[in-house]
Amino acid sequence: MTKSPHFWWLISLLGLTIITLVAFIITKRILDSEKLLDYIAVCSTLLSITLSIFAIQYTYNSNNEIHQQFEKINSAAEIIKDTSKSLSDTNALLNDNLSQILESLENVGQSQQNIAQQIENLTNQGVSTDVNNTLPNPSTQQS
């Protein structure tokens, strides 16, 4: 509820005061207990009205907080909805371009086979290929 320690001290003090007054009235230690009982009744009525006003205010504040939470949930739902639509559009675009992607992959595979065939033809013809990435020795080139 509330974080104020003074609130709980006041509530405790008021409760003890009411219990003490009721005890004095019951034991007839106060001479004019009728008048005191009327004061307690009026105070109880005022306290009841005050507490009902606080309850209405608390309900209003709670309702505002709940409304703010619903607004946050609605905005998150809209973001999720937009993201879902974006993903759906991307999926449709990928599905539309799937045949082009597959065709490109087949062309790459065919090109690789052609290159492999050409390399095989070169080696079958007796052409030696030097795949070493070394530089020739400069002393052997001058002679």
Side-chain angles (χ1 to χ4, degrees):
M1 294 231 224
T2 180
K3 294 181 180 179
S4 173
H6 303 295
F7 175 78
W8 294 111
W9 278 107
L10 286 174
I11 294 296
S12 301
L13 186 62
L14 286 173
L16 283 174
T17 305
I18 291 172
I19 291 171
T20 306
L21 286 174
V22 170
F24 278 131
I25 291 170
I26 291 173
T27 59
K28 306 223 186 234
R29 289 191 181 172
I30 297 177
L31 297 175
D32 198 10
S33 62
E34 282 292 320
K35 196 171 194 178
L36 184 62
L37 196 55
D38 288 340
Y39 287 145
I40 290 175
V42 170
C43 288
S44 297
T45 303
L46 290 177
L47 182 64
S48 175
I49 291 170
T50 305
L51 289 176
S52 65
I53 290 171
F54 285 145
I56 290 169
Q57 184 181 8
Y58 180 75
T59 303
Y60 177 75
N61 289 340
S62 296
N63 190 23
N64 280 340
E65 289 177 11
I66 290 172
H67 181 68
Q68 290 173 355
Q69 293 299 324
F70 279 136
E71 289 296 323
K72 288 179 183 177
I73 290 171
N74 283 339
S75 84
E78 286 295 323
I79 290 171
I80 291 171
K81 181 179 170 184
D82 293 341
T83 303
S84 173
K85 184 180 183 311
S86 174
L87 285 173
S88 177
D89 292 344
T90 303
N91 186 27
L93 184 64
L94 282 174
N95 284 337
D96 290 343
N97 294 332
L98 184 62
S99 62
Q100 291 176 354
I101 292 170
L102 290 175
E103 184 178 318
S104 296
L105 286 175
E106 287 176 8
N107 289 340
V108 167
Q110 185 65 34
S111 296
Q112 286 178 344
Q113 288 177 355
N114 289 341
I115 290 172
Q117 185 65 33
Q118 288 174 359
I119 290 173
E120 186 178 323
N121 288 341
L122 287 175
T123 55
N124 287 343
Q125 293 174 358
V127 175
S128 65
T129 57
D130 186 16
V131 290
N132 292 336
N133 290 330
T134 59
L135 294 173
N137 193 354
S139 62
T140 57
Q141 284 181 348
Q142 292 176 356
S143 27

